[in-house]
């Protein structure tokens, strides 16, 4: 993609080129199920429609549609965007696994940190209130960590939800 920016649309300004690349990327993503020629014709139709409505995306592009070189470069850009989308789609399962692994590692790190810290006042208060509400026997919380208290509270809530379902 970066190589294309240096070789395509050399007669356009930097801003024109950047806006065209960005817009076409989203346009191709939106119409990825169509062929390159169909996407190109849809793009041309849209731009002409918006030009007729006096609200064009690119004021300079209508005159460029007459040039064969410009149309070839548009096709090249559309093809490249389609390839990028295919690559991204092929990498999706791998990226999902990476995200799940990273989430698991963050959870482990958080739990490890919590296991080394004393419980907060809010946790202790919430635990006391739960024990009062459900008339449970309180456990000595002096030597418990934040993680232990979190698990204890979670178990109380889970048990009460189970008993409500029955």
């Amino acid at each position: 993609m970066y190589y294309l920016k240096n070789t395509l649309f050399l007669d356009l300004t930097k801003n024109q080129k950047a806006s065209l690349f960005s817009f076409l990327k989203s346009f191709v993503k939106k119409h990825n199920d169509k062929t390159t020629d169909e996407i190109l014709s849809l793009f041309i139709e849209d731009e002409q429609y918006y030009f007729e409505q006096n609200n064009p995306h690119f004021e300079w592009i209508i005159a460029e549609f007459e040039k064969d070189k410009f149309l070839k470069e548009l096709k090249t850009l559309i093809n490249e965007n389609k390839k990028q989308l295919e690559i991204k789609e092929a990498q999706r399962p791998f990226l999902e696994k990476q995200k799940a692994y990273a989430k698991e590692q963050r959870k482990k790190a958080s739990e490890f940190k919590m296991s080394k810290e004393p419980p907060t006042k809010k946790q202790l208060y919430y635990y006391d209130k739960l024990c009062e509400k459900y008339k449970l026997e309180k456990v000595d919380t002096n030597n418990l960590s934040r993680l232990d208290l979190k698990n204890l509270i979670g178990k109380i809530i889970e048990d009460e939800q189970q008993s409500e379902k029955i």
Side-chain angles (χ1 to χ4, degrees):
M1 197 66 159
Y2 292 107
Y3 177 69
L4 287 179
K5 287 184 180 179
N6 296 332
T7 58
L8 296 179
F9 309 114
L10 298 176
D11 51 339
L12 299 180
T13 67
K14 181 179 167 183
N15 290 341
Q16 287 175 331
K17 194 187 299 188
S19 61
L20 180 63
F21 271 69
S22 174
F23 184 80
L24 265 177
K25 184 176 181 179
S26 63
F27 193 82
V28 169
K29 189 174 183 180
K30 184 177 174 184
H31 301 288
N32 193 27
D33 56 333
K34 296 177 174 41
T35 65
T36 304
D37 292 328
E38 289 173 338
I39 293 173
L40 180 64
S41 63
L42 267 175
F43 176 68
I44 293 171
E45 287 174 20
D46 275 5
E47 290 307 312
Q48 288 175 339
Y49 170 77
Y50 285 115
F51 184 76
E52 290 169 4
Q53 299 299 318
N54 293 324
N55 189 17
H57 293 116
F58 312 103
E59 291 138 5
W60 48 268
I61 204 164
I62 298 299
E64 297 292 326
F65 287 145
E66 306 299 321
K67 301 176 184 174
D68 287 335
K69 181 183 174 197
F70 185 78
L71 294 176
K72 279 185 185 177
E73 290 176 342
L74 276 176
K75 274 188 181 181
T76 305
L77 183 58
I78 291 170
N79 278 330
E80 185 61 29
N81 281 321
K82 285 180 73 72
K83 285 180 191 173
Q84 292 291 331
L85 288 172
E86 288 173 13
I87 291 169
K88 197 173 185 181
E89 192 63 36
Q91 291 176 341
R92 180 169 293 187
F94 176 70
L95 293 174
E96 292 298 323
K97 285 180 185 176
Q98 271 187 328
K99 283 182 184 177
Y101 180 72
K103 184 177 181 180
E104 183 181 312
Q105 292 302 315
R106 284 192 306 273
K107 184 177 179 186
K108 282 182 183 178
S110 172
E111 286 180 352
F112 178 76
K113 183 180 176 186
M114 287 175 74
S115 70
K116 302 295 181 194
E117 297 175 343
T120 64
K121 289 180 182 178
K122 284 185 178 181
Q123 278 183 312
L124 293 170
Y125 178 77
Y126 188 60
Y127 174 70
D128 288 340
K129 289 297 178 185
L130 280 176
C131 288
E132 286 175 20
K133 180 179 179 183
Y134 297 119
K135 297 173 182 63
L136 300 173
E137 198 173 309
K138 292 182 185 177
V139 177
D140 182 29
T141 57
N142 292 336
N143 298 328
L144 296 180
S145 68
R146 234 173 129 177
L147 179 64
D148 296 333
L149 206 58
K150 175 186 167 205
N151 292 336
L152 196 59
I153 291 170
K155 185 170 177 7
I156 291 171
I157 292 173
E158 187 178 303
D159 290 344
E160 291 306 318
Q161 286 177 345
Q162 290 294 329
S163 65
E164 286 176 7
K165 287 182 181 177
I166 295 174

